[in-house]
Amino acid sequence: HQVSASFANHATKAVEYEQTCGRLENELSEAKVQLTTFRDENEELRNIQRESDAQIIELRSTIESMDGDAGEATHLVAEIANLKYELETKVVECQESSAEK
């Protein structure tokens, strides 16, 4: 009887371990999906930042090459500020999206 009870106890523990392993495998799969999502979002943000940096450099160069055209310079400065704002907004959106997951 004692052997039978011991066997039943081991069998129960084995089932519990298998269930735990299954749960951990599912959690690992979910974590891999999240990691892939975070990597893709990070890459998208890096691309946006590179594009914005290039536009900012181009606009600054244009401003520096202008000869006293204050109206155009003001317009370009506003455009630079807008690009920076858009980039910051995308970063915040991505961070909030990541925090929700």
Side-chain angles (χ1 to χ4, degrees), residues 9-63:
N9 186 32
H10 288 299
T12 300
K13 285 186 179 185
V15 169
E16 289 173 0
Y17 290 146
E18 287 177 11
Q19 290 172 343
T20 300
C21 286
R23 183 179 50 81
L24 291 173
E25 287 173 351
N26 287 338
E27 289 176 10
L28 179 60
S29 293
E30 290 172 11
K32 286 179 179 180
V33 168
Q34 278 187 330
L35 185 59
T36 299
T37 300
F38 293 154
R39 186 191 67 223
D40 293 345
E41 289 173 352
N42 185 29
E43 185 63 30
E44 180 183 348
L45 280 176
R46 287 176 187 261
N47 289 337
I48 291 169
Q49 185 171 6
R50 280 191 288 273
E51 291 170 7
S52 295
D53 288 345
Q55 289 175 343
I56 289 169
I57 289 168
E58 182 181 333
L59 290 170
R60 282 187 178 152
S61 174
T62 301
I63 289 170

